[in-house]
Amino acid sequence: MPYVNIKITNEQVTPEKKAELIEGVTQLLVDVLDKNPATTVVVIDEVNTDNWGIGGNTVTEIRGK
């Protein structure tokens, strides 16, 4: 049973886009690894931009510059 965890910042990602991610990743595992889509788990974690850092700065700070 494959388990895929996608982490994204919590900015304007619609339920439709999340559904596309889940469907696309599931299909990728079917196509590349011949996995059963019925047992493939995809989880999307949305992380606040204050809790995601790059190069010593939060994403909130980076996007504010």
Side-chain angles (χ1 to χ4, degrees):
M1 172 175 77
Y3 175 93
V4 177
N5 184 230
I6 300 170
K7 293 185 184 288
I8 58 175
T9 55
N10 63 342
E11 301 171 285
Q12 303 171 6
V13 180
T14 65
E16 294 80 16
K17 289 294 182 186
K18 291 176 194 175
E20 281 185 56
L21 280 172
I22 292 168
E23 182 180 353
V25 168
T26 300
Q27 190 60 51
L28 180 65
L29 288 169
V30 169
D31 294 344
V32 174
L33 299 177
D34 198 31
K35 295 298 181 179
N36 180 350
T39 59
T40 299
V41 176
V42 179
V43 176
I44 299 173
D45 289 327
E46 292 183 276
V47 180
N48 186 289
T49 58
D50 289 338
N51 298 331
W52 192 310
I54 303 168
N57 297 299
T58 66
V59 172
T60 303
E61 293 170 326
I62 294 167
R63 294 201 176 141
K65 292 180 181 178

